[in-house]
């Protein structure tokens, strides 16, 4: 999944969950591409490309809201309590029903939380406007690499500029195209950069056995077990508890 597509999407595109390109629609949530000009069959029905993309989101992500609310709090900016409230509001529950489900305060307490969230929305709009205006004047701002959506414990390690990424890749990869490492860095930020490159060589539409994943990682670096473990720790890959299946997180 190209994180730049997600990060650069407009508000309207994020609400829909997909982006329209010249020849296709691209899912912002997982990178699935639905080509235009093709009729797609599903359960004895035929769908044009855009409608099929909407169906893809329903089938694979439940809804755009469900996907976004499930992102790390460092990405959404929401506390766990705020996420729970938004989820219940999205389900159409009344203040009384929300209060009973969360077992907090009273209905007036829930109304206060609604007010706080509306204030957060107004602040966000103002902040977005300020950042858009800043882009027109700030000629010295570095280009930062977007944080991958499945990241865990987002902190200063993710404060990576494009220049830092390019420098680190050149330093540690013997052959970038084949992803062969000269050595593996000790610094956390550099490790993150290297892992971002390695994950590009793993098909995000496949499920791998441990052996199949190891076969991909072995040519990259001799300590492939370390690489596999860190890909999981940094939220690039997930697996079954028994280690029988591995897949790229979307």
């Amino acid at each position: 999944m190209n994180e730049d597509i997600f990060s650069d999407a407009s508000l309207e595109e994020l609400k829909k969950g997909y982006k329209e390109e010249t020849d296709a629609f691209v899912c912002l949530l997982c990178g699935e591409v639905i080509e235009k000009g093709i009729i797609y069959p599903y359960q004895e029905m035929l769908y044009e490309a855009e409608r099929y993309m909407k169906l893809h989101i329903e089938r694979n992500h439940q809804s755009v809201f469900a996907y976004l609310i499930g992102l790390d709090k460092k990405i959404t900016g929401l506390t766990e309590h705020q996420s729970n409230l938004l989820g219940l509001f999205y389900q159409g529950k009344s203040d009384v029903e929300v209060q009973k489900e969360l077992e907090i305060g009273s209905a007036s307490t829930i109304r206060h939380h609604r007010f706080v969230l509306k204030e957060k929305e107004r602040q966000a709009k103002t902040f977005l406007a300020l950042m858009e205006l800043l882009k027109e004047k700030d000629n010295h701002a570095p280009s930062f690499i977007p944080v991958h959506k499945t990241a865990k414990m987002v902190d200063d390690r993710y404060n990576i500029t494009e220049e830092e990424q390019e420098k680190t890749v050149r330093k540690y990869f013997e052959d970038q195209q084949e992803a062969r490492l000269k050595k593996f860095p000790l610094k956390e930020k550099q490790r993150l950069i290297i892992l971002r490159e390695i994950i590009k060589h793993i098909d995000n539409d496949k499920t791998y056995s441990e052996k199949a994943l190891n076969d991909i990682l072995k040519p990259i670096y001799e300590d492939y077990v370390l690489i596999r473990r860190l890909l999981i720790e940094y939220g690039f890959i997930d697996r079954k508890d028994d280690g029988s299946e591995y897949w790229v997180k979307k």
Side-chain angles (χ1 to χ4, degrees):
M1 173 59 190
N2 189 335
E3 301 296 338
D4 292 333
I5 296 177
F6 184 86
S7 300
D8 294 340
S10 68
L11 178 58
E12 285 304 310
E13 288 169 339
L14 282 177
K15 285 169 61 179
K16 292 190 299 183
Y18 61 89
K19 181 184 183 69
E20 182 175 2
E21 297 188 341
T22 303
D23 300 317
F25 295 96
V26 181
C27 179
L28 298 173
L29 314 184
C30 69
E32 180 77 14
V33 176
I34 306 296
E35 294 183 22
K36 294 180 180 179
I38 297 176
I39 300 299
Y40 296 86
Y42 178 70
Q43 292 187 345
E44 300 183 357
M45 296 285 289
L46 299 176
Y47 297 87
E48 293 183 348
E50 186 167 14
R51 181 65 189 90
Y52 193 69
M53 174 57 76
K54 294 176 182 179
L55 180 64
H56 159 80
I57 291 173
E58 292 171 8
R59 291 169 53 204
N60 294 276
H61 307 293
Q62 184 180 342
S63 69
V64 178
F65 183 91
Y67 182 88
L68 294 178
I69 204 72
L71 294 175
D72 188 275
K73 62 183 179 180
K74 289 292 183 70
I75 297 176
T76 64
L78 298 169
T79 64
E80 183 178 351
H81 180 60
Q82 289 171 330
S83 293
N84 290 336
L85 284 167
L86 285 173
L88 293 172
F89 294 153
Y90 187 75
Q91 294 173 28
K93 294 184 181 294
S94 68
D95 293 350
V96 173
E97 290 172 324
V98 172
Q99 182 271 324
K100 288 181 178 178
E101 183 150 345
L102 295 181
E103 298 180 341
I104 56 171
S106 63
S108 61
T109 303
I110 303 303
R111 283 196 294 273
H112 173 71
H113 285 303
R114 286 186 186 271
F115 173 77
V116 171
L117 289 167
K118 290 298 292 184
E119 283 297 295
K120 192 176 183 70
E121 178 190 17
R122 283 189 281 269
Q123 292 166 356
K125 287 180 179 178
T126 302
F127 180 70
L128 283 173
L130 287 169
M131 292 303 293
E132 287 298 314
L133 291 168
L134 179 61
K135 288 178 185 178
E136 301 172 8
K137 297 291 184 179
D138 188 0
N139 298 319
H140 303 287
S143 296
F144 290 96
I145 303 298
V147 176
H148 60 283
K149 302 190 300 299
T150 56
K152 299 178 179 178
M153 298 177 64
V154 179
D155 51 31
D156 286 345
R157 290 174 294 179
Y158 291 82
N159 178 15
I160 301 169
T161 66
E162 290 183 356
E163 183 180 0
E164 286 177 306
Q165 172 147 313
E166 292 172 4
K167 183 178 179 180
T168 301
V169 168
R170 287 197 303 269
K171 179 178 179 180
Y172 287 98
F173 277 104
E174 176 182 334
D175 185 331
Q176 187 180 346
Q177 187 173 359
E178 297 297 328
R180 286 198 296 271
L181 283 169
K182 301 174 187 176
K183 60 180 178 177
F184 194 64
L186 296 176
K187 292 183 178 179
E188 292 289 330
K189 181 183 283 192
Q190 292 177 330
R191 286 188 164 194
L192 176 57
I193 292 172
I194 297 305
L195 294 172
R196 287 174 61 96
E197 291 298 310
I198 291 175
I199 198 65
K200 295 176 183 178
H201 295 265
I202 302 175
D203 192 328
N204 63 5
D205 291 323
K206 289 184 178 180
T207 299
Y208 296 89
S209 66
E210 184 174 293
K211 180 181 183 303
L213 182 59
N214 288 344
D215 288 342
I216 294 174
L217 299 179
K218 283 178 182 178
I220 295 175
Y221 187 60
E222 57 186 11
D223 192 351
Y224 58 89
V225 175
L226 171 65
I227 300 295
R228 190 183 70 220
R229 176 172 60 80
L230 291 177
L231 285 171
I232 294 170
E233 288 183 5
Y234 277 85
F236 289 104
I237 280 180
D238 207 347
R239 67 172 183 173
K240 285 188 173 181
D241 291 339
D242 62 3
S244 62
E245 292 185 355
Y246 294 76
W247 59 90
V248 175
K249 294 182 72 173
K250 300 179 181 180

